[in-house]
Amino acid sequence: MVMDNKDVVRAFYDAAINRKDYSAAAGLVGPRYTQHNPRIADGLAGLEEFVTGLRRDFPALRADVRRLVAEGDLVVGHVHGVRVPGQPGTAIVDIFRLEEGRIVEHWDVMQPIPEEARNANGMF
């Protein structure tokens, strides 16, 4: 089965974040993986360290992918991340660049979801 870029990114969220399965996530990443989040090291070693840390520190963490937008080799995810069930969580925008059906670059921006908002529109 051939996956389009959005399918690859959706599978990556499931493997790396929800299941915390480094091996499955690594299969979706290219041989060169550039990480722009300053808290995560480059390459597969950085991804493995990140996924291992999630499994250890936040075993119940979930990423709820609300929308994916693709253009060319880029996929943007709008995601609700919750580290601990019952907490408001974080609104996340991830940008992935893919080559030949594999993720090769990642950027992200995260914003904590406040307990109270000045509007009723929600962040998703």
Side-chain angles (χ1 to χ4, degrees):
M1 174 175 129
V2 176
M3 295 195 302
D4 71 14
N5 286 349
K6 289 189 340 183
D7 292 335
V8 171
V9 168
R10 190 177 308 281
F12 182 81
Y13 280 117
D14 182 57
I17 308 302
N18 293 335
R19 292 187 289 124
K20 295 153 197 70
D21 180 343
Y22 166 73
S23 295
L28 300 164
V29 173
R32 174 179 41 85
Y33 179 58
T34 303
Q35 176 60 254
H36 294 278
N37 181 322
R39 295 183 178 121
I40 304 172
D42 263 345
L44 287 174
L47 178 62
E48 183 174 24
E49 179 183 34
F50 173 70
V51 172
T52 299
L54 289 181
R55 191 171 47 250
R56 179 189 62 237
D57 299 334
F58 302 103
L61 180 141
R62 297 287 301 163
D64 179 16
V65 178
R66 299 297 178 95
R67 58 189 53 83
L68 293 174
V69 178
E71 182 178 314
D73 63 352
L74 299 175
V75 176
V76 176
H78 187 202
V79 178
H80 183 196
V82 178
R83 286 183 171 180
V84 177
Q87 292 182 343
T90 304
I92 303 166
V93 174
D94 286 300
I95 304 170
F96 297 93
R97 188 170 70 79
L98 291 85
E99 288 179 356
E100 299 178 6
R102 304 275 184 201
I103 297 169
V104 296
E105 200 162 5
H106 170 254
W107 300 259
D108 60 10
V109 179
M110 296 183 243
Q111 181 179 5
I113 298 172
E115 293 287 338
E116 294 182 25
R118 294 189 62 197
N119 63 61
N121 301 324
M123 295 182 75
F124 301 99

